[in-house]
């Protein structure tokens, strides 16, 4: 594969991370007053992190299109 393809693929991943419309999961980290909510894409998290795959498997989105929301209060936003 050409370097141009991989360059474009990398750019697409950056665009996905910045996407405000098509995310399907929110991850809340930290405790008040230091809480941050991250928007993400479940499919990418499952393939990039075995821990998140296990966590998300037990919290799968229902068929009624309700957004999945998980909390990690013991992880600071800066670490996450």
């Amino acid at each position: 594969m050409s370097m141009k393809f991989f360059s474009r693929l990398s750019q697409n991943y950056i665009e996905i991370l910045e996407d405000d419309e098509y995310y399907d999961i929110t991850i809340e980290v930290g405790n008040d007053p230091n809480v941050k909510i991250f928007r993400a894409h479940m499919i990418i998290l499952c393939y990039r992190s075995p821990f998140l795959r296990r966590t998300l498997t037990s919290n799968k989105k229902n068929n009624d299109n309700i957004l999945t929301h998980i909390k990690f209060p013991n992880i600071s936003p800066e670490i996450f």
Side-chain angles (χ1 to χ4, degrees), residues 31-50:
N31 283 309
D32 282 333
N34 189 24
V35 174
K36 183 163 183 182
I37 296 176
F38 294 90
R39 294 180 304 262
H41 304 273
M42 193 178 307
I43 187 103
I44 294 173
L45 296 176
C46 286
Y47 280 93
R48 298 294 297 162
S49 169

Side-chain angles (χ1 to χ4, degrees), residues 6-62:
F6 287 114
S7 176
R8 182 69 184 139
L9 182 63
S10 294
Q11 181 60 39
N12 290 147
Y13 279 121
I14 290 169
E15 292 166 5
I16 288 170
L17 287 172
E18 296 169 349
D19 181 272
D20 288 338
E21 187 174 354
Y22 296 109
Y23 62 92
D24 58 357
I25 183 171
T26 54
I27 302 171
E28 182 177 325
V29 295
N31 283 309
D32 282 333
N34 189 24
V35 174
K36 183 163 183 182
I37 296 176
F38 294 90
R39 294 180 304 262
H41 304 273
M42 193 178 307
I43 187 103
I44 294 173
L45 296 176
C46 286
Y47 280 93
R48 298 294 297 162
S49 169
F51 168 75
L52 288 173
R53 178 183 284 258
R54 287 188 304 275
T55 302
L56 294 171
T57 298
S58 63
N59 292 301
K60 279 199 171 181
K61 183 170 70 169
N62 297 329

Side-chain angles (χ1 to χ4, degrees), residues 54-73:
R54 287 188 304 275
T55 302
L56 294 171
T57 298
S58 63
N59 292 301
K60 279 199 171 181
K61 183 170 70 169
N62 297 329
N63 288 333
D64 57 5
N65 290 328
I66 294 174
L67 193 68
T68 299
H69 182 79
I70 56 176
K71 295 181 181 184
F72 297 116

